[in-house]
Amino acid sequence: MIRSRLLAGAALAAVATLSLTACATDAEPTAAGGVDASTATSLADFGTLADLEEAAKAEGALNVIALPRDWANYGEIIDLFAERYPEITITEASPDASSAEEIQAAENLRGQDTAPDVFDLGLAVALTSTDYFAPYKVERWDDIPDALKEESGLFVGDYGGYMAVGYDPDAVPAPESLDDLLGEEYRGKVAINGDPTQAGAAFAAVGMATVQNGGDLDDFQAGIDFFEELNAAGNFVKIDPTPATVASGETPVVFDWDYLNNGYAAELDGQRNWEVVVFEGTGYAGYYNQAINVDAPNPAAARLWMEFLYSPEVQNLWLKGGARPVLEQAMVEAGEIDEALYAALPEAPADTVVPSAEQSDAAATLLGERWATAVQ
Amino acid sequence: MSSSTVVTPAVEPRSATAPRGSTRPVRPRRTRGAAAWGVAPFALYIALFLALPTGIALATGFVDEEGAFTLDTIAALGDPFVLSGFGTSIALSAFTAVVGALLGALVSYAIVAARPEGMLRSVIDAASGVLAQFGGVMLAFAFIATIGIQGGVTVLLRDLAGIDIFADGVWLYESPGLILPYVYFQVPLMIIVFLPALESLKPQWAEASATLGGTTATFWWRIGIPVLWPSFLGSLLLLFANAFSSYATAAALTSQGQSIVPLQIRAALTSETLLGRENLAGALALGMIVVMVVVMTLYALLQRRADRWRR
């Protein structure tokens, strides 16, 4: 490690002197052989994509963590990577881990071959874990909206969606607003994906209820009040929804990201009908974030994974999973988006809100104090 | 600390043919050194898998994120949310321990007269051994499949009798819903630990009581209960500890509200919305250990008391 750093430093110094002495010639940085992948911040540090692929194949491994195969079509994305780079063995650890557990894994496995190379994180964890990230800007960096990336490249939004309500049209009437869910016919049928004091998706469900219930993101109390009412009506069922609980009919109504709800629909095609609705009015959106582990055991493969994810083809695979890829706007303009898939996304609401870091913190604190008693 | 801490008192088999006044078998004499060597593997095991993790868990409660000494996390134990967690945990454990102990004692009383090698005893012994360890996700799923929203029994009751057990909300997935599964593993554990104590009631005592004109009630009031109460209370404490440290059953059944302390520890460690509370987990673990130490100390004292009648 240290030796390669020194080498890279020496190489850099050599390049610098070269370019100083021979200004006229463009000094091409040496390909894979002389590059320290762990400090590379963009494709240019390797040379071309082919050079990066070469370096990644030389490592021959990639460790990903917390990527459920039925989450935003990750299964197909991982399979495509494996098919394209058969020389690189992908290890998928703890598909159902939380964002916080991804960072713990990096901490606990530091310096080992099994440590995660890349992370896929909720915003709250990404903001507080920047010490664990290596800055890297993918080739399409400039096409990513400023609001969805950390300016130095430590982490970057990858895909997102709207908080939506999925329901089984054979078990319940179609809900058109939050208030509908308080009705008699939803008794013991409404679930949210996890506990909002623990899981990002559940937290977003309360956020969505907040803005739909006349509150704003500065104060999640309106959302907590809604779930308190839902619980008092006997409608709130405290089960973590999974495709299995949807299939068995235990959770006929589920608050979850629209792409996950679409995933249920796709997975249960033929077993259960599953409709997804994003309520009119203000929509609550959230993006997940991609980052590279600063101590990645396979730094080149990690960076190749990033370039792979931010290629139009793979962005369209997220779209296929019902998620909105971060390059959405740029791809629409460049004509790279898959029109059929794009048209199939649920109607986006008139207004969209995304909580800021401060709002998230305040809401998390409030939930920690009041959630448990509200839904007891 | 789980049910693996159960220490079943060794009971000498009562042999009907043993001559009266037969002495215990003579143990081969061993030197102290050999005994110490013999216990070394176990001591090492305990040190590695009990003492060390406990020490680490406790230490994390006293440091902040930078690793500096702090009492803030310990102070956080006074937080109303945490206190209510301990309250719920203790109430749930105590309630299921009492119910489990009473039911288990009744079952033990019912079968203690059966022939030790008979069919009834063998079946109940075997079933208790299995069911006392039948916890966690398996047990949670068994209940979900039986009396869950789409469980077999639920659907039968709804379709045949028109009874909706979840008319007032789905209680199985909330704190009250933990009582049934907990009692389910408490009863067999009670049978395992209490049956030997019941067996230690010598028939000669009953005979002596009857000879002196005592009724059954006299026997229980004057002999049975005084002899058995330390064992009963000890078993009760063991059941309490068993429920207090249970995690997997609750984790699989309840997803909201983190009502009991083990679930609060999970939340502090894995939450992706409330961050930087890993050290609170250490403080919560400390709180749990304090409760467990008190319970196990009382248990040890009661065991000593109970052993008087087993010699």
Side-chain angles (χ1 to χ4, degrees):
Chain A
M1 195 70 190
I2 288 178
R3 182 182 300 174
S4 57
R5 280 249 169 94
L6 282 174
L7 267 179
L12 271 177
V15 169
T17 28
L18 267 179
S19 47
L20 277 176
T21 48
C23 275
T25 55
D26 273 8
E28 278 285 325
T30 44
V35 178
D36 180 1
S38 64
T39 56
T41 55
S42 71
L43 197 54
D45 291 348
F46 292 95
T48 63
L49 184 62
D51 294 327
L52 172 57
E53 287 173 345
E54 210 51 50
K57 286 174 189 169
E59 288 170 352
L62 173 70
N63 301 335
V64 299
I65 184 169
L67 303 182
R69 294 185 68 84
D70 56 358
W71 179 291
N73 203 22
Y74 256 123
E76 194 174 342
I77 291 172
I78 292 169
D79 292 345
L80 179 67
F81 188 88
E83 184 188 330
R84 187 169 299 172
Y85 304 110
E87 307 85 346
I88 302 175
T89 312
I90 302 186
T91 310
E92 299 170 56
S94 325
D96 293 322
S98 74
S99 298
E101 286 171 304
E102 293 181 53
I103 300 297
Q104 280 164 18
E107 174 74 39
N108 295 339
L109 300 172
R110 179 171 293 171
Q112 297 179 36
D113 290 345
T114 49
D117 287 310
V118 283
F119 305 114
D120 186 24
L121 304 160
L123 186 60
V125 174
L127 285 166
T128 53
S129 310
T130 47
D131 294 353
Y132 293 89
F133 306 153
Y136 186 81
K137 294 183 178 176
V138 291
E139 243 197 314
R140 300 288 297 263
W141 179 258
D142 296 333
D143 287 339
I144 299 169
D146 286 348
L148 297 173
K149 62 190 179 192
E150 198 280 333
E151 56 191 13
S152 62
L154 283 169
F155 63 86
V156 51
D158 44 17
Y159 58 86
Y162 284 97
M163 188 35 67
V165 172
Y167 61 96
D168 177 353
D170 305 322
V172 292
E176 283 168 11
S177 69
L178 272 190
D179 286 341
D180 288 356
L181 296 174
L182 298 170
E184 183 69 33
E185 52 280 356
Y186 296 95
R187 175 68 50 84
K189 289 188 165 65
V190 185
I192 64 177
N193 191 358
D195 180 316
T197 60
Q198 283 185 69
F203 178 90
V206 181
M208 186 266 255
T210 301
V211 293
Q212 286 280 334
N213 206 20
D216 62 46
L217 294 184
D218 290 327
D219 184 3
F220 270 41
Q221 188 60 46
I224 297 175
D225 290 344
F226 167 76
F227 281 104
E228 190 165 6
E229 272 182 80
L230 190 76
N231 191 49
N235 293 5
F236 187 18
V237 60
K238 296 164 187 174
I239 302 178
D240 280 342
T242 63
T245 64
V246 170
S248 72
E250 288 179 282
T251 53
V253 181
V254 174
F255 276 79
D256 210 341
W257 295 115
D258 53 2
Y259 50 90
L260 296 183
N261 263 317
N262 285 326
Y264 294 152
E267 186 160 347
L268 301 173
D269 193 28
Q271 294 182 63
R272 282 246 172 223
N273 291 318
W274 195 249
E275 303 280 339
V276 186
V277 56
V278 178
F279 290 146
E280 282 175 21
T282 311
Y284 182 104
Y287 277 80
Y288 271 80
N289 300 275
Q290 201 69 219
I292 296 175
N293 183 356
V294 68
D295 298 312
N298 309 296
R303 283 152 179 82
L304 179 62
W305 174 250
M306 289 288 274
E307 294 293 353
F308 173 79
L309 291 181
Y310 290 84
S311 64
E313 183 186 3
V314 180
Q315 294 272 306
N316 274 324
L317 285 180
W318 269 325
L319 183 63
K320 189 175 170 184
R324 293 161 201 272
V326 75
L327 292 173
E328 182 185 345
Q329 271 333 101
M331 284 166 62
V332 168
E333 284 158 23
E336 295 163 323
I337 201 121
D338 186 319
E339 294 293 347
L341 293 173
Y342 194 52
L345 286 177
E347 189 81 21
D351 292 329
T352 298
V353 291
V354 179
S356 66
E358 294 76 26
Q359 288 170 326
S360 289
D361 278 351
T365 310
L366 186 76
L367 282 165
E369 288 165 6
R370 305 207 178 148
W371 178 258
T373 34
V375 299
Q376 237 160 25
Chain B
M1 290 277 248
S2 70
S3 50
S4 57
T5 52
V6 173
V7 186
T8 30
V11 182
E12 294 171 34
R14 290 182 305 157
S15 157
T17 54
R20 191 176 297 184
S22 67
T23 52
R24 294 190 203 174
V26 182
R27 286 204 191 139
R29 291 183 55 187
R30 275 184 312 205
T31 57
R32 252 184 199 204
W37 278 114
V39 85
F42 179 69
L44 184 73
Y45 174 81
I46 288 288
L48 276 180
F49 294 101
L50 185 65
L52 187 69
T54 305
I56 291 172
L58 294 187
T60 56
F62 290 99
V63 293
D64 59 16
E65 292 192 30
E66 277 71 50
F69 179 80
T70 176
L71 287 173
D72 290 357
T73 39
I74 301 299
L77 287 177
D79 181 277
F81 175 56
V82 171
L83 286 178
S84 84
F86 272 99
T88 311
S89 261
I90 289 171
L92 175 71
S93 308
F95 183 75
T96 59
V98 169
V99 174
L102 290 174
L103 289 175
L106 284 176
V107 175
S108 307
Y109 175 61
I111 61 169
V112 74
R115 283 187 308 115
E117 56 282 344
M119 187 69 173
L120 179 69
R121 273 293 294 276
S122 314
V123 168
I124 297 221
D125 279 348
S128 300
V130 172
L131 294 179
Q133 298 304 322
F134 185 75
V137 179
M138 310 177 287
L139 182 64
F141 180 72
F143 270 84
I144 291 170
T146 317
I147 59 164
I149 298 174
Q150 301 289 345
V153 173
T154 317
V155 172
L156 270 180
L157 282 174
R158 199 170 49 208
D159 295 350
L160 296 180
I163 300 168
D164 182 4
I165 56 172
F166 294 130
D168 301 327
V170 189
W171 47 262
L172 177 63
Y173 301 98
E174 303 179 19
S175 303
L178 290 177
I179 293 173
L180 276 179
Y182 274 43
V183 167
Y184 189 88
F185 62 66
Q186 296 281 47
V187 172
L189 180 63
M190 183 69 183
I191 296 171
I192 291 176
V193 296
F194 193 62
L195 196 56
L198 264 181
E199 288 188 315
S200 69
L201 286 180
K202 297 190 171 63
Q204 293 89 327
W205 298 344
E207 287 158 17
S209 159
T211 313
L212 296 169
T215 60
T216 310
T218 323
F219 167 75
W220 280 109
W221 184 243
R222 301 273 180 181
I223 301 167
I225 291 176
V227 169
L228 286 178
W229 76 261
S231 301
F232 182 82
L233 280 185
S235 306
L236 189 72
L237 286 173
L238 204 59
L239 262 57
F240 176 89
N242 187 38
F244 191 72
S245 59
S246 283
Y247 159 76
T249 311
L253 267 180
T254 62
S255 76
Q256 297 294 337
Q258 314 319 321
S259 48
I260 62 173
V261 182
L263 295 185
Q264 290 188 351
I265 292 178
R266 169 181 70 173
L269 285 175
T270 65
S271 173
E272 53 184 27
T273 55
L274 273 170
L275 302 166
R277 297 169 45 140
E278 289 81 358
N279 298 324
L280 177 63
L284 287 167
L286 171 66
M288 282 189 81
I289 288 171
V290 168
V291 173
M292 287 301 250
V293 165
V294 169
V295 169
M296 293 325 275
T297 308
L298 287 172
Y299 174 73
L301 292 173
L302 282 166
Q303 274 307 93
R304 198 177 301 171
R305 174 99 209 211
D307 280 348
R308 285 206 314 213
W309 299 103
R310 297 222 187 88
R311 294 190 187 122

